[in-house]
């Protein structure tokens, strides 16, 4: 909850309704989450385990507020609720539906190859999805028109 609140505050105060800044916040937050994921899954944290989990809880969802703000600014006011509902369903379907299946499949493959640490390695490969997501947010800055109206207007 705090991470999405931080993202909303960052979108409001740093982006100030500018599309390219909203995309920048989303992209950077997704990419910054990768080292935290790797520190948690690969046990590189030692005595700072709780700090890494707190960092993951704060950094992971930062993209949500700016992404929803951007999505709602791309459609007419009459379609904003429906658009955010569709995005929420798709994010949950992909994240909670396909994500665990992919982790399980990668873990099974790694276990078959003789790795005893198959599950942490499989979970850490989800950083690839976070990297792809972050890069796509950053690349979208070139495509989406600048100066879209703020969702608060």
């Amino acid at each position: 909850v705090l991470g999405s609140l931080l993202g909303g505050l960052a979108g409001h105060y740093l982006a100030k309704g500018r599309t390219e800044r909203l995309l920048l916040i989303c992209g950077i937050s997704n990419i910054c989450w990768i080292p935290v994921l790797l520190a948690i899954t690969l046990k590189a944290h030692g005595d700072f385990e709780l700090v890494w989990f707190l960092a993951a809880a704060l950094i992971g969802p930062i993209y949500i507020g700016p992404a929803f703000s951007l999505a709602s600014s791309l459609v007419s006011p009459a379609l904003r609720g429906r658009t955010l509902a569709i995005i929420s369903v798709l994010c949950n379907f992909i994240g909670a539906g396909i994500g665990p299946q992919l982790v399980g499949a990668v873990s099974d493959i790694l276990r078959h190859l003789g790795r005893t640490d198959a599950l942490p390695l499989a979970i850490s490969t989800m950083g690839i999805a976070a990297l792809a997501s972050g890069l796509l947010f950053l690349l979208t800055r070139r495509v989406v028109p600048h100066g879209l109206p703020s969702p608060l207007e």
Side-chain angles (χ1 to χ4, degrees), residues 1-9 54 56-62 64-65:
V1 174
L2 286 177
S4 57
L5 177 64
L6 287 175
L9 292 172
L54 179 62
L58 290 176
I59 296 172
I62 284 178
I64 294 172

Side-chain angles (χ1 to χ4, degrees), residues 7 10-11 14-15 20-30 62-63 66:
L14 299 176
E20 65 276 5
R21 289 184 182 175
L22 289 171
L23 290 167
L24 185 66
I25 293 168
C26 292
I28 289 174
S29 69
N30 280 351
I62 284 178
Y63 76 95

Side-chain angles (χ1 to χ4, degrees), residues 12-87:
H12 180 72
Y13 290 109
L14 299 176
K16 297 182 181 178
R18 294 185 55 192
T19 306
E20 65 276 5
R21 289 184 182 175
L22 289 171
L23 290 167
L24 185 66
I25 293 168
C26 292
I28 289 174
S29 69
N30 280 351
I31 292 171
C32 288
W33 183 72
I34 297 169
V36 177
L37 171 70
L38 294 176
I40 291 171
T41 57
L42 300 178
K43 305 288 186 205
H45 42 77
D47 295 334
F48 298 103
E49 187 168 348
L50 187 59
V51 173
W52 286 112
F53 278 103
L54 179 62
L58 290 176
I59 296 172
I62 284 178
Y63 76 95
I64 294 172
F68 276 25
S69 175
L70 179 65
S72 65
S73 69
L74 292 173
V75 297
S76 67
L79 294 175
R80 288 180 180 169
R82 185 174 300 153
T83 301
L84 296 181
I86 290 170
I87 290 172

Side-chain angles (χ1 to χ4, degrees), residues 86-150:
I86 290 170
I87 290 172
S88 296
V89 168
L90 287 175
C91 287
N92 283 313
F93 175 72
I94 293 170
I98 297 173
Q101 297 296 323
L102 287 174
V103 168
V106 171
S107 176
D108 289 345
I109 291 169
L110 291 172
R111 176 75 66 183
H112 181 70
L113 294 174
R115 296 298 303 239
T116 58
D117 56 347
L119 186 58
L121 284 176
I123 294 172
S124 67
T125 61
M126 291 300 104
I128 297 169
L131 178 64
S133 171
L135 292 176
L136 286 173
F137 273 122
L138 295 176
L139 290 173
T140 304
R141 294 175 64 215
R142 297 182 182 185
V143 179
V144 174
H146 299 289
L148 292 173
S150 170

